[in-house]
Amino acid sequence: MLVLSAAAGGGLWYYQQTNSTAAQIDQLEAEKAVLADLVDRLSGQRRVAEMIVTEQNTNEDGVLVTDLLFVEYDTQGDPLPPKSFTVLGDSVHVLSKVITFERGYIEANDPMRGQSIALFMGIHGGAEAPEDAHPIDPIGGQPDIYAGENPNITTFEAELWEKFWDLARDEELRAKYGVQTAGGEGPWTIFRPDTLYTLTLATDGGLTLEQQPVPAIFRVKAD
């Protein structure tokens, strides 16, 4: 009986230890998955616009004229209707407003403040003044990025854009909305044909303008 009792006790101890170890492993794996998800969110980017040069020529005044095709993407990653712009010069500047939120909202994947937001105001060439930039969104109208958006997010973001410059200078107002920074950005680079230019927005940061060759299939002209 003593032997059987000892064996049973040993079996129970082994069972408890095995279950305890398995539970610890499961917990560690769950924590690892949460951490990986957090790292992905904090280091993530999303594509917000793409541009290509459709034509580039020098006019009679000796100024380079650049024709652009501009496609913006909504917060779901779906393309909005393309827009065409003609700017003077080969350096292209995109005037933008960018709002970043406090890290805690990003970590919690908050539905309205879980990533930075950007609004494109205008675009101009290097031979043009910023005040002469061509509007990207209709002045006084609802930005195209709100199309089909959750109305709660639309209202929240619209309020932020309306108070944008107040947010930029008022620390208490930023704290009220959970805003980390609010400021203007104007990423730019030299534009050339056969190149795809992509504006991306960091989850917890600003805009970057990247470029890569246009895929060869898009350069082939059908007979």
Side-chain angles (χ1 to χ4, degrees), residues 122-204:
I123 189 168
H124 70 93
E128 299 170 300
E131 54 266 26
D132 295 326
H134 310 277
I136 293 177
D137 287 317
I139 298 175
Q142 187 185 56
D144 291 341
I145 58 170
Y146 291 153
E149 185 60 274
N150 181 319
N152 292 330
I153 297 177
T154 298
T155 302
F156 177 71
E157 288 194 12
E159 189 173 346
L160 291 180
W161 297 128
E162 183 181 349
K163 300 177 184 293
F164 182 80
W165 295 116
D166 292 326
L167 287 166
R169 62 174 176 264
D170 189 332
E171 183 177 355
E172 289 186 3
L173 188 63
R174 290 197 299 273
K176 174 183 176 182
Y177 286 96
V179 169
Q180 182 72 30
T181 62
E185 294 190 18
W188 68 277
T189 191
I190 302 297
F191 272 55
R192 293 286 185 260
D194 295 327
T195 304
L196 176 67
Y197 299 88
T198 304
L199 276 164
T200 57
L201 180 65
T203 299
D204 62 345

Side-chain angles (χ1 to χ4, degrees), residues 2 16 29 46 77 95 100 107 111 125 130 135 142 159 167-168 175 186 204 216:
L2 288 174
Q16 291 173 334
E29 289 296 326
R46 64 183 176 92
L95 304 180
T100 66
E107 292 175 351
Q142 187 185 56
E159 189 173 346
L167 287 166
D204 62 345

Side-chain angles (χ1 to χ4, degrees), residues 22-162:
Q24 289 175 358
I25 292 174
D26 289 343
Q27 182 178 352
L28 288 173
E29 289 296 326
E31 291 173 354
K32 181 179 177 182
V34 169
L35 181 60
D37 180 64
L38 177 58
V39 170
D40 285 343
R41 284 206 305 276
L42 293 177
S43 61
Q45 289 185 325
R46 64 183 176 92
R47 179 178 59 188
V48 290
E50 289 181 330
M51 293 172 282
I52 59 170
V53 174
T54 55
E55 193 169 352
Q56 202 169 49
N57 294 298
T58 303
N59 63 17
E60 60 273 14
D61 297 323
V63 178
L64 191 67
V65 178
T66 301
D67 293 332
L68 298 168
L69 186 65
F70 178 98
V71 178
E72 191 174 356
Y73 291 82
D74 64 20
T75 55
Q76 304 304 313
D78 297 321
L80 300 174
K83 298 177 181 179
S84 297
F85 299 100
T86 297
V87 302
L88 301 180
D90 59 356
S91 64
V92 177
H93 305 244
V94 182
L95 304 180
S96 313
K97 294 177 180 178
V98 176
I99 293 175
T100 66
F101 295 100
E102 294 174 358
R103 181 65 65 92
Y105 291 107
I106 299 172
E107 292 175 351
N109 201 18
D110 184 273
M112 291 189 289
R113 288 166 288 201
Q115 61 182 10
S116 301
I117 55 176
L119 186 66
F120 299 128
M121 303 185 311
I123 189 168
H124 70 93
E128 299 170 300
E131 54 266 26
D132 295 326
H134 310 277
I136 293 177
D137 287 317
I139 298 175
Q142 187 185 56
D144 291 341
I145 58 170
Y146 291 153
E149 185 60 274
N150 181 319
N152 292 330
I153 297 177
T154 298
T155 302
F156 177 71
E157 288 194 12
E159 189 173 346
L160 291 180
W161 297 128
E162 183 181 349

